[in-house]
Amino acid sequence: MSRRVVRQSKFRHVFGQAAKADQAYEDIRVSKVTWDSAFCAVNPKFLAIIVEAGGGGAFIVLPLAKTGRVDKNYPLVTGHTGPVLDIDWCPHNDNVIASASDDTTVMVWQIPDYTPVRNITEPVITLEGHSKRVGILSWHPTARNVLLSAGGDNVIIIWNVGTGEVLLSLDDIHPDVIHSVCWNSNGSLLATTCKDKTLRIIDPRKSQVVAERARPHEGARPLRAVFTADGKLLSTGFSRMSERQLALWDPNNFEEPVALQEMDTSNGVLLPFYDPDSSIVYLCGKGDSSIRYFEITDEPPFVHYLNTFSSKEPQRGMGFMPKRGLDVSKCEIARFYKLHERKCEPIVMTVPRKSDLFQDDLYPDTPGPEPALEADEWLSGQDAEPVLISLKEGYVPPKHRELRITKRNILDARPPAGPRRSQSASDSPLSQHTLETLLEEMKALRERVQAQEERITALENMLCELVDGTD
């Protein structure tokens, strides 16, 4: 009698668990916009959620520790004149977030470490270049200040946020609305899906389609695609019979998928969240109440179903914590932030282990917050893998860094004198202009304080006269 051999994998018993009630974020009016984005972005410091807002678009930014009921007057980030459709934290600066909106603009914000007393209304920079709404944002994984945006005008723009300039504009590749865009691990290629039902791999610096596959999924509903660590592609879509599917593709041979998994007939678009360190892909459908997860391996059948985390309430959106924000002492390998109608609930994915020691097989070195390249180096053709950090001692965030904008003088067309590596905001000396600005601010503050003191003296005199009069 043949005995069934169970596949060996350290992730076979990964289980999901919702956080306790006091660890959730209550009383948040999550946006009701009908757009297939995650509506939530999270990093080791902050949780950002797109919320309902009258007269424009807004999102709320909460320190991770600020759990419980959120005050209805808690300050928002407001500046867009139309609904916010997507938000994305900068991977190289935990205080910088970009937002894309129906109003055709992209705004980049500096979030302070302290809780602001009023709404944040002034972005560090506003990026204007799209002619229709902007629904997709994605920061470059290894180059500093490089941000991608994709809009309803079927155009992908890659910006240098540090100068506010357009680095590249890919405007004749997609004939219809773009549904998803994803960088590969070193940011040399893009994978895009489009309403024309074609999956494309693009070299952005050459503005060329390197490979493409028409109708990777036969169904009519939107596709999504993400790169795996070894350069393959994972796509989610629908079969002709409206069954949801997960497919694994080798870009060198786009004829047939390497593997294909069929799931159910729900109509929610599956958002794939891929973890390159563990090679696990998590599928979260809008309107679903479950998260399915699969392990991707090198041996057939390549895609292995692991488990499903189920809960009672459907999800409106989902945030996915970067690896450096996880609790390694509890063998936590992923953490999601599930949006309900009025709250956000953390969901923790854990590998059961008996030992309290650091499990180095679960936590290989992972991308840290230091960029590997400057924007101009990447644009000139250089590629670099992410700068990795060890999580053995737990992750300690670097000190607060300002995002500095350097607007270039468009009248000065002289070429730069040789390659120059731009300094980060943390190690740059204070310029003469900055010193003058600070001195002016101090002078204005002193004048204001003096005026207030004079006003207080006048009020005290009036009060004394009133008291003397009543006597």
Side-chain angles (χ1 to χ4, degrees), residues 155-160 165-170 183 203-207 378-379:
V155 174
I156 291 175
I157 298 179
I158 298 173
W159 309 85
N160 180 347
E165 294 175 314
V166 174
L167 293 178
L168 298 161
S169 181
L170 312 176
W183 296 97
D203 183 331
R205 288 168 295 195
K206 292 180 181 169
S207 296
W378 176 78
L379 187 64

Side-chain angles (χ1 to χ4, degrees), residues 115-235:
T115 302
V117 288
R118 56 179 69 89
N119 288 352
I120 300 173
T121 56
E122 289 297 318
V124 181
I125 194 165
T126 301
L127 306 172
E128 296 175 329
H130 287 282
S131 59
K132 290 187 180 172
R133 69 181 181 179
V134 189
I136 296 169
L137 287 176
S138 183
W139 290 91
H140 193 285
T142 61
R144 190 197 309 275
N145 292 342
V146 175
L147 175 66
L148 174 151
S149 63
D153 50 7
N154 314 339
V155 174
I156 291 175
I157 298 179
I158 298 173
W159 309 85
N160 180 347
V161 173
T163 61
E165 294 175 314
V166 174
L167 293 178
L168 298 161
S169 181
L170 312 176
D171 48 14
D172 53 359
I173 291 176
H174 299 92
D176 214 324
V177 177
I178 300 160
H179 285 148
S180 74
V181 181
C182 173
W183 296 97
N184 66 348
S185 61
N186 68 359
S188 59
L189 296 172
L190 295 171
T192 68
T193 61
C194 177
K195 199 176 177 182
D196 70 349
K197 301 184 181 57
T198 303
L199 171 59
R200 294 175 175 84
I201 297 177
I202 298 165
D203 183 331
R205 288 168 295 195
K206 292 180 181 169
S207 296
Q208 277 180 1
V209 177
V210 180
E212 63 181 1
R213 173 69 162 84
R215 302 188 81 90
H217 299 274
E218 292 290 331
R221 291 187 53 72
L223 312 169
R224 286 277 187 282
V226 290
F227 275 104
T228 64
D230 59 359
K232 291 191 176 70
L233 275 172
L234 283 164
S235 67

Side-chain angles (χ1 to χ4, degrees), residues 305-340:
Y305 170 75
L306 291 175
N307 211 336
T308 301
F309 166 81
S310 296
S311 56
K312 291 189 179 114
E313 294 183 64
Q315 54 233 17
R316 298 284 294 276
M318 196 68 81
F320 187 50
M321 175 66 83
K323 214 45 170 279
R324 55 197 173 88
L326 303 181
D327 186 345
V328 296
S329 66
K330 293 179 180 165
C331 295
E332 181 183 358
I333 61 160
R335 192 189 312 152
F336 291 91
Y337 286 76
K338 173 182 170 178
L339 300 186
H340 300 242

